[in-house]
Amino acid sequence: MKRIFTLVGILLLTSCTKDEMFLEIEEQILKQQLDTTSVVVTPPPPAGVTQTRNTFTLYKESYLNQRSGFAFTWSHNPMNSEYNMIMKNSGTKLTYAGGQAYGDVNNDGYQDILTAVHKSETNFYLSWFINKGDDLNFTEDNSFINQPTIGFSGHKILKTDVNNDGIADYIALGVIEETGNYGGNFTVLIGNSNGRFDVNDIPNPPNPDRNNNRYYFHNGAAGDLNNDGFVDVVTADYIFWGNGRGDFSNSYISFSEMGIKPSLTYEIIDINKDGMNDIIVGTPFVSNSTTTIILNNNGTFNSQNRIIKMPKSSFSGTMDIEVIDIDNDGDLDIVELKDKGFKTSENPNSVEEGMTNIFVYHNNNLNFTLDESLLSVALDGNFLNGTDDKYGWSRFKFDDADGDGQDEILAENYQEGKYNALKKIDGIWKKVTLKFGK
């Protein structure tokens, strides 16, 4: 399989204050000259040789199920971007919700894409896009879902196994933003042995803050939180306890009582390696917000749990969280995509248009140190990386997309900048443009 990338630039940082660092980053990026030399990272196999396809282990924890060897991205101007797969090749201009997930639904050895298609404000649904065998061209196919999904969105889609049968299931957490009719959906696609999915839509819980049952299921995570062997889900200030059959009951968590206000993004992982999964919670851009770890207390989560707050960074709005040992010291670190935000009453100092960057919290036995320089080359948005680059990255993941055995950091979902990944080259993370396809 051939993977190609274009080197876009290198950014070296010197020691300085946060404000000085940000101004220096912005100034240096604006001065960058684009290098458009294409380099073949992994040559294609010889003629007549069939390349072995990647297989991916299925985990209960959704954050472990994001690998596919490529990344789904889309933009409003697809023809200007060679790496936006579905949009470039579908021939139809569509928009998509914020979530995606991967899986080989037709058992042909190639990873397919599940996402939410939005044709209009009121016409949206979940759909599979089937890989044509080259990791580049995909065809929409709704036949793999047994029931209609009209009206269901997926701002975050979790791949997991809700019923312990070894077959991948998917949980679509949706945001519905119809004018005058906001809300959301918690929708489970339960995989069958024939490759098809049954739809189980979970009723929304009561909303104690609004005296109704309308929620934005903006984000969430799946994993077993009480060690009963069944997958649970945290989303929208609730834990949804799984019963092992694809049904969920809920219990409200007052994150505000833990000093987390408001909660926005989530991950489930055993970060202290005690055998119990913990919850990581990120917040949107407010003046005092920071990411928080809630350590599991024998399957319970309330104001009595021990919490660990990350140091405050120069960007405050959490877009996405990944957990990985990025410094290879044996402890799991937190890598976070953050939005600088817009100028609002809660964020009065921002003047940038949706600018994002990636920050690292190095873990040393649950003592976390903020590192704003390691991945600062990821700064994006505010037209820093092209004429379409109004907003920064929306999601990201670690995955080996070029087949060299080392993970890149890949943009996912909405992305209109001139690069779509970071790659570690000669010990330094650099901007690259990955072009998917055999």
Side-chain angles (χ1 to χ4, degrees):
M1 178 179 300
K2 183 170 67 176
R3 306 288 192 186
I4 300 176
F5 71 86
T6 303
L7 183 61
V8 180
I10 306 170
L11 178 61
L12 301 177
L13 299 178
T14 58
S15 178
C16 54
T17 67
K18 288 182 180 178
D19 289 341
E20 290 170 341
M21 179 184 297
F22 179 78
L23 292 173
E24 183 175 346
I25 291 170
E26 187 170 21
E27 181 180 355
Q28 291 189 41
I29 287 179
L30 288 171
K31 292 180 178 178
Q32 289 184 88
Q33 298 296 317
L34 300 183
D35 179 355
T36 57
T37 304
S38 293
V39 180
V40 177
V41 177
T42 305
V49 175
T50 301
Q51 185 171 1
T52 302
R53 303 297 301 165
N54 290 330
T55 57
F56 301 93
T57 301
L58 179 64
Y59 297 90
K60 292 181 180 179
E61 292 85 359
S62 54
Y63 89 99
L64 292 173
N65 295 322
Q66 301 178 104
R67 294 177 178 268
S68 60
F70 56 78
F72 163 60
T73 54
W74 70 277
S75 72
H76 288 117
N77 194 357
M79 303 314 294
N80 286 349
S81 182
E82 297 183 48
Y83 53 81
N84 288 327
M85 298 176 294
I86 291 175
M87 289 288 289
K88 185 175 179 62
N89 295 286
S90 67
T92 304
K93 184 172 182 178
L94 302 172
T95 60
Y96 302 86
Q100 66 286 311
Y102 311 92
D104 181 10
V105 294
N106 59 350
N107 199 32
D108 66 351
Y110 293 89
Q111 294 290 299
D112 310 302
I113 301 169
L114 175 66
T115 188
V117 180
H118 283 237
K119 292 186 173 180
S120 71
E121 186 183 72
T122 58
N123 183 5
F124 50 89
Y125 55 90
L126 302 170
S127 187
W128 280 99
F129 286 81
I130 305 305
N131 195 328
K132 289 188 175 181
D134 59 5
D135 292 350
L136 179 64
N137 295 284
F138 292 78
T139 302
E140 184 176 359
D141 190 341
N142 287 315
S143 68
F144 292 92
I145 303 177
N146 290 331
Q147 293 83 27
T149 61
I150 294 292
F152 296 149
S153 186
H155 202 267
K156 182 75 178 284
I157 300 179
L158 312 175
K159 182 180 181 180
T160 183
D161 184 3
V162 299
N163 53 3
N164 295 337
D165 62 358
I167 300 172
D169 309 304
Y170 297 84
I171 300 173
L173 302 173
V175 173
I176 299 171
E177 295 181 301
E178 297 176 22
T179 302
N181 184 32
Y182 74 88
N185 58 280
F186 182 129
T187 306
V188 186
L189 303 184
I190 302 174
N192 297 316
S193 58
N194 63 3
R196 301 303 192 259
F197 294 86
D198 292 322
V199 178
N200 183 25
D201 190 46
I202 305 300
N204 287 5
N207 189 327
D209 295 327
R210 297 191 178 99
N211 197 29
N212 59 32
N213 67 341
R214 292 185 174 185
Y215 275 90
Y216 284 138
F217 291 97
H218 185 272
N219 195 278
D224 185 1
L225 287 171
N226 56 3
N227 273 10
D228 65 354
F230 304 140
V231 166
D232 309 304
V233 174
V234 58
T235 181
D237 291 345
Y238 278 84
I239 291 180
F240 288 79
W241 303 102
N243 65 2
R245 298 187 299 275
D247 290 313
F248 294 84
S249 59
N250 58 73
S251 60
Y252 181 69
I253 304 177
S254 179
F255 286 114
S256 61
E257 291 183 4
M258 304 180 192
I260 308 168
K261 185 178 181 180
S263 61
L264 184 70
T265 56
Y266 310 86
E267 284 297 351
I268 291 175
I269 180 176
D270 181 10
I271 200 162
N272 59 353
K273 301 179 181 179
D274 67 350
M276 298 287 288
N277 276 325
D278 310 300
I279 298 175
I280 304 174
V281 184
T283 57
F285 34 83
V286 293
S287 58
N288 60 347
S289 65
T290 186
T291 296
T292 304
I293 298 171
I294 308 171
L295 295 178
N296 199 323
N297 182 19
N298 198 31
T300 62
F301 292 88
N302 53 41
S303 59
Q304 302 304 308
N305 289 63
R306 179 189 172 190
I307 66 171
I308 302 172
K309 284 190 169 293
M310 299 300 102
K312 187 172 174 58
S313 65
S314 57
F315 285 28
S316 59
T318 304
M319 301 289 290
D320 200 6
I321 298 170
E322 295 298 328
V323 185
I324 194 168
D325 184 7
I326 198 168
D327 51 18
N328 297 313
D329 68 349
D331 288 323
L332 290 172
D333 309 301
I334 294 177
V335 183
E336 196 166 31
L337 175 67
K338 289 197 166 190
D339 193 325
K340 189 170 180 65
F342 300 93
K343 189 171 184 178
T344 65
S345 58
E346 292 182 322
N347 195 30
N349 297 321
S350 180
V351 294
E352 288 75 24
E353 284 278 5
M355 189 178 289
T356 62
N357 211 340
I358 300 179
F359 301 83
V360 177
Y361 298 95
H362 294 286
N363 180 4
N364 181 13
N365 195 27
L366 297 184
N367 294 304
F368 289 86
T369 303
L370 172 64
D371 187 342
E372 296 206 358
S373 64
L374 181 64
L375 300 176
S376 59
V377 70
L379 188 66
D380 194 49
N382 200 32
F383 305 103
L384 292 177
N385 296 290
T387 57
D388 294 322
D389 186 32
K390 183 175 181 180
Y391 306 107
W393 287 19
S394 57
R395 302 253 192 248
F396 77 114
K397 67 171 178 172
F398 286 80
D399 202 346
D400 181 13
D402 59 22
D404 67 350
Q406 300 295 319
D407 282 346
E408 293 81 44
I409 299 175
L410 308 179
E412 285 189 295
N413 212 270
Y414 179 82
Q415 158 63 359
E416 293 193 309
K418 291 294 187 182
Y419 76 101
N420 65 345
L422 302 180
K423 184 174 180 63
K424 199 171 187 179
I425 303 173
D426 298 329
I428 300 173
W429 288 96
K430 304 177 183 180
K431 292 181 179 181
V432 297
T433 296
L434 294 169
K435 298 181 181 179
F436 303 112
K438 291 179 64 175

